[in-house]
Amino acid sequence: MRRVVVFGTTGSGKSWLAERLADRTGLRVVELDALFWGRDWQPAPVELFRHRVERETGQEGWIVVGNYGQVRDLVWRPADTLVWLDLPLPVVMWRLLRRTIKRAVTREELWGTGNRESLVNAFSRNSILLYALKTHRRNRERFELECGFLANEKRVVRLRSRRDIERFVLSPLP
């Protein structure tokens, strides 16, 4: 396990899991959100985003966190392990709500960009909560199909519960 991708729907705990894996493996974490988002929530142009991802994954040994289709070929192709956080929607929504409120109240800066979550945005048309609600099923269907194609050539780990996650984090490394 030297090149790992941790993916799942918004709010599933990807970053948390990646940090636990990094603690155990010594691999560095590459947050795709940090490479994609600029100040004032401006997305990086696709060419720049791909360049940043290529630069970060060009070295041996990493754990990439995220679901960006624009760079999936750059991270999934060289990965030896795909870790899919496939948690039930109520669990995801509860975690996301808690995280969003905490970040809004503490004014936590995200990825060194100056961006912060706010309660106003959390309950607006551009809400990350609404986004998770609308994309959860579609992501699950897409990931199931994509992982099915890759299961013969990569280690695919599908984690469907807190118990699965704990077991995986504590299991001997391959």
Side-chain angles (χ1 to χ4, degrees):
M1 201 163 73
R2 300 291 308 152
R3 292 177 311 279
V4 181
V5 180
V6 178
F7 64 99
T9 197
T10 301
S12 58
K14 297 178 297 291
S15 297
W16 179 89
L17 177 58
E19 290 298 332
R20 300 299 76 67
L21 292 176
D23 289 345
R24 292 202 56 219
T25 62
L27 299 173
R28 65 192 175 80
V29 174
V30 177
E31 284 271 359
L32 293 181
D33 281 339
L35 303 177
F36 182 75
W37 292 109
R39 290 208 169 276
D40 299 319
W41 295 102
Q42 291 301 305
V46 173
E47 305 78 30
L48 177 59
F49 182 39
R50 287 181 63 83
H51 171 75
R52 289 173 176 169
V53 171
E54 284 177 317
R55 186 183 63 225
E56 291 296 321
T57 59
Q59 304 164 27
E60 187 63 28
W62 40 257
I63 301 170
V64 169
V65 179
N67 297 325
Y68 289 85
Q70 305 96 310
V71 295
R72 186 161 294 132
D73 61 315
L74 299 177
V75 295
W76 283 39
R77 189 175 297 133
D80 55 50
T81 305
L82 303 174
V83 180
W84 174 15
L85 282 169
D86 182 21
L87 300 175
L89 181 61
V91 172
V92 169
M93 294 304 294
W94 174 244
R95 286 181 175 186
L96 188 57
L97 178 63
R98 253 189 6 224
R99 182 190 82 183
T100 301
I101 290 171
K102 176 184 165 257
R103 285 179 174 176
V105 169
T106 64
R107 304 288 299 145
E108 178 182 341
E109 182 180 343
L110 302 174
W111 318 295
T113 60
N115 295 333
R116 291 175 168 79
E117 291 189 40
S118 73
L119 293 177
V120 170
N121 284 343
F123 299 101
S124 72
R125 286 184 23 218
N126 297 323
S127 168
I128 194 164
L129 299 164
L130 185 58
Y131 177 79
L133 193 61
K134 291 183 348 188
T135 61
H136 185 269
R137 192 178 93 227
R138 183 178 52 208
N139 282 342
R140 175 177 277 164
E141 292 167 356
R142 187 180 79 230
F143 295 149
E144 190 162 33
L145 186 64
E146 291 172 347
C147 288
F149 286 127
L150 295 170
N152 290 333
E153 57 188 85
K154 299 184 183 305
R155 178 178 185 218
V156 177
V157 179
R158 186 174 182 179
L159 305 173
R160 299 178 194 220
S161 67
R162 291 179 183 134
R163 182 175 293 156
D164 286 353
I165 294 166
E166 288 303 316
R167 211 174 300 152
F168 177 69
V169 168
L170 297 174
S171 67
L173 296 172

